[in-house]
Amino acid sequence: MLKTITMMYETGKNFSSKNYKPKQIEQGDYEDCMFMGINFSGYNFSDYRFSSCDFKDCDLSNVKIHKAALREIVFKNCKLIGINFEDAHPFNLSFRFEDCILNHSSFYKLDIRKTVFKNCSLNEVDFTETDLSNSVFQGCDLTSAVFDRTILESSDFRNASNFSINPNHNQLKKAKFSRNNLSGLLSGFQITIE
C-alpha cells in the first residue's frame, strides 16, 4: 500500500521574523508569499516550491536548494552567499535580485535569460556556461566573477563595475557597455590602458 505524502500549500501569506522561525516554514508549495527579515542561513529548502514569492531582508546564505522550484522570485536586500543555484529545479527558473549580496554563489550552466541584478555584490560568482541573454547588471560589483563560455548577448553592463570578460571566450553580440568600463573586456589581453 502506497503512503500519501501531504505537502503544505500556502498562498498570499506573509512570514516575518516576528512571527516565524525557519523551522516553522515546512516543506511545501508557497505561492504569492512574502518572507521578511528571516534568518534562513544554512537552511535546507530542497524540494520546496516557491512561485511569485518575495524575500526581503532575509539571510539565505549557504541554503540548500536541491530540486527547489524558484519561479518568479524577487530577492530584495538579502544575503545569498554561497548558494549553488544550479541545484534548483531548472523548469521555469526565474528570479530578480535587488540590493543583494550573492558573493561566492554559482549559476553554472543555467538558462536564466532576462535576469535582473540591481545594485548587487557578485564577487567571485560563477557564471560559467550560463545563458544570461538580455540580463541586466545595473550598479553591480562583479569583482572576480567568472564568465567562461557564457552567453551574454544583449545583456546590459553599462553600470556594472570590476568585471573581467574575455570576448574570445563568451558570446557578447549586442551586449551593452559604457566607455568607462570597457577595460573589463580587455583585462585578459594583458594590455595597459591609460
Side-chain angles (χ1 to χ4, degrees):
M1 204 171 179
L2 291 173
K3 276 189 173 181
T4 306
I5 299 173
T6 323
M7 296 264 299
M8 175 178 285
Y9 177 76
E10 295 284 1
T11 184
K13 192 168 182 179
N14 289 337
F15 298 87
S16 74
S17 58
K18 295 175 186 174
N19 304 321
Y20 290 92
K21 296 199 181 328
K23 63 184 176 185
Q24 292 174 297
I25 299 169
E26 299 174 29
Q27 184 182 25
D29 287 331
Y30 295 86
E31 187 174 349
D32 293 313
C33 291
M34 169 80 80
F35 300 89
M36 296 172 289
I38 301 175
N39 184 352
F40 290 111
S41 183
Y43 199 71
N44 189 348
F45 278 126
S46 296
D47 296 310
Y48 280 59
R49 290 188 282 262
F50 298 100
S51 299
S52 301
C53 291
D54 289 4
F55 288 83
K56 187 175 180 184
D57 302 320
C58 291
D59 186 348
L60 295 136
S61 298
N62 298 307
V63 297
K64 309 291 183 273
I65 55 171
H66 182 72
K67 293 192 178 178
L70 300 171
R71 299 179 182 124
E72 297 180 34
I73 308 303
V74 176
F75 296 98
K76 286 186 179 180
N77 198 38
C78 290
K79 282 177 68 175
L80 299 130
I81 297 170
I83 298 177
N84 293 322
F85 285 96
E86 66 268 18
D87 292 343
H89 197 289
F91 181 72
N92 280 344
L93 182 66
S94 59
F95 26 62
R96 175 185 178 97
F97 303 94
E98 295 180 24
D99 303 305
C100 292
I101 301 170
L102 290 123
N103 301 342
H104 308 287
S105 291
S106 175
F107 295 90
Y108 178 68
K109 278 192 169 181
L110 288 178
D111 183 346
I112 52 171
R113 294 174 231 191
K114 299 181 180 177
T115 299
V116 173
F117 298 91
K118 185 177 178 184
N119 302 321
C120 292
S121 178
L122 297 158
N123 296 186
E124 298 185 40
V125 171
D126 188 359
F127 292 111
T128 301
E129 295 184 42
T130 304
D131 188 345
L132 285 160
S133 303
N134 296 292
S135 292
V136 175
F137 294 87
Q138 182 180 337
C140 291
D141 178 359
L142 290 151
T143 302
S144 300
V146 178
F147 294 94
D148 186 24
R149 298 177 310 274
T150 307
I151 302 170
L152 298 166
E153 295 180 359
S154 299
S155 289
D156 190 344
F157 288 89
R158 289 177 294 182
N159 297 94
S161 62
N162 302 317
F163 58 83
S164 178
I165 301 171
N166 186 329
N168 292 331
H169 298 149
N170 298 282
Q171 296 178 37
L172 295 170
K173 186 178 180 181
K174 296 187 178 178
K176 299 172 191 80
F177 298 90
S178 74
R179 289 182 182 161
N180 298 332
N181 67 9
L182 284 178
S183 61
L185 296 173
L186 303 171
S187 58
F189 296 103
Q190 298 179 1
I191 59 175
T192 303
I193 301 166
E194 295 181 359

